[in-house]
Amino acid sequence: AQSVSQHNHHVILSEAASLELGCNYSYGGTVNLFWYVQYPGQHLQLLLKYFSGDPLVKGIKGFEAEFIKSKFSFNLRKPSVQWSDTAEYFCAVMGQAGTALIFGKGTTLSVSS
Amino acid sequence: GAGVSQSPSNKVTEKGKDVELRCDPISGHTALYWYRQSLGQGLEFLIYFQGNSAPDKSGLPSDRFSAERTGGSVSTLTIQRTQQEDSAVYLCASSLGGRAADTQYFGPGTRLTVL
């Protein structure tokens, strides 16, 4: 069965610090990988996604993620966080033949100004 | 419409009552999904509709949960004989064609509280 593990439940950073949120997945076939973000009081929105090709994927707001197949990982990074990045971040996987997103339990990021 | 809409935004009900939650997907999207977001459980898939195909109900937690999609557009999620553990935010998402490459766009959710 597919599953997603996010290593950090709550991350606290100061503005301008670098960010890396861990995500590992379990799936036996070709996967599609996603990061979604939920800002306070807003609905889930897509940050970035990976299907094939370049394993380094760039998304909105300066975020990027790297797919490392050998490690079953899809970690999210940002070189310099801002206060406005305070949100909950969800990693998700979908099998090539699948339809539903399987989400990790999420990581809450708090950025202090 | 511009995005996925859901109603009501909040619903408080008493244990044992039935509730209906509504989702209006993005116009032209053939795929529609229901998820549930609860403390400690994160985001869980419930059910998926694609066009006129039989829905994928594999995520429904019990037979008290059901959903329908009329005319390939609006969907209603029904929970019968609600229990306190049903308290959660119910999210609807839609995508253009239901393919793995199609982005799922989420609505704002319905917060259900069962007293």
Side-chain angles (χ1 to χ4, degrees):
Chain A
Q2 300 174 55
S3 66
V4 178
S5 175
Q6 292 185 239
H7 311 309
N8 311 100
H9 179 63
H10 193 181
V11 173
I12 302 171
L13 295 173
S14 299
E15 273 196 322
S18 64
L19 170 72
E20 181 161 3
L21 301 182
C23 173
N24 285 91
Y25 66 91
S26 171
Y27 184 70
T30 302
V31 291
N32 304 287
L33 296 158
F34 307 79
W35 276 97
Y36 277 81
V37 62
Q38 189 168 28
Y39 296 103
Q42 298 187 27
H43 56 269
L44 271 171
Q45 50 188 287
L46 183 68
L47 261 183
L48 47 80
K49 58 185 179 182
Y50 170 81
F51 294 108
S52 62
D54 188 344
L56 185 61
V57 180
K58 295 193 183 299
I60 61 171
K61 304 188 179 186
F63 286 91
E64 65 179 31
E66 184 175 14
F67 169 53
I68 303 179
K69 188 174 181 180
S70 61
K71 295 184 178 180
F72 298 90
S73 71
F74 190 56
N75 292 353
L76 181 71
R77 300 194 294 247
K78 186 171 183 178
S80 177
V81 296
Q82 301 173 313
W83 176 81
S84 57
D85 293 325
T86 294
E88 191 159 14
Y89 293 80
F90 295 91
C91 182
V93 64
M94 178 193 291
Q96 196 65 26
T99 53
L101 290 166
I102 306 300
F103 286 91
K105 292 200 183 296
T107 297
T108 301
L109 172 65
S110 300
V111 180
S112 57
S113 56
Chain B
V4 178
S5 60
Q6 293 184 244
S7 60
S9 55
N10 281 286
K11 176 71 176 178
V12 180
T13 190
E14 293 179 349
K15 178 181 172 181
K17 301 280 190 182
D18 298 351
V19 295
E20 286 188 352
L21 312 179
R22 176 188 168 105
C23 172
D24 284 87
I26 293 172
S27 178
H29 281 193
T30 63
L32 186 147
Y33 309 78
W34 283 98
Y35 295 87
R36 179 169 70 174
Q37 186 174 22
S38 54
L39 283 174
Q41 297 298 320
L43 277 153
E44 306 169 281
F45 163 71
L46 296 177
I47 188 168
Y48 160 66
F49 296 89
Q50 171 53 44
N52 295 320
S53 302
D56 175 358
K57 304 179 183 179
S58 60
L60 294 179
S62 79
D63 58 8
R64 296 187 295 105
F65 288 72
S66 63
E68 62 177 22
R69 189 178 186 191
T70 53
S73 182
V74 172
S75 176
T76 302
L77 177 69
T78 301
I79 309 173
Q80 296 179 308
R81 305 181 302 281
T82 52
Q83 303 295 312
Q84 288 183 332
E85 61 262 29
D86 299 334
S87 296
V89 177
Y90 289 82
L91 296 172
C92 177
S94 70
S95 71
L96 187 60
R99 295 172 293 267
D102 293 330
T103 297
Q104 293 185 27
Y105 295 90
F106 284 79
T110 293
R111 181 175 296 277
L112 174 66
T113 303
V114 182
L115 302 176

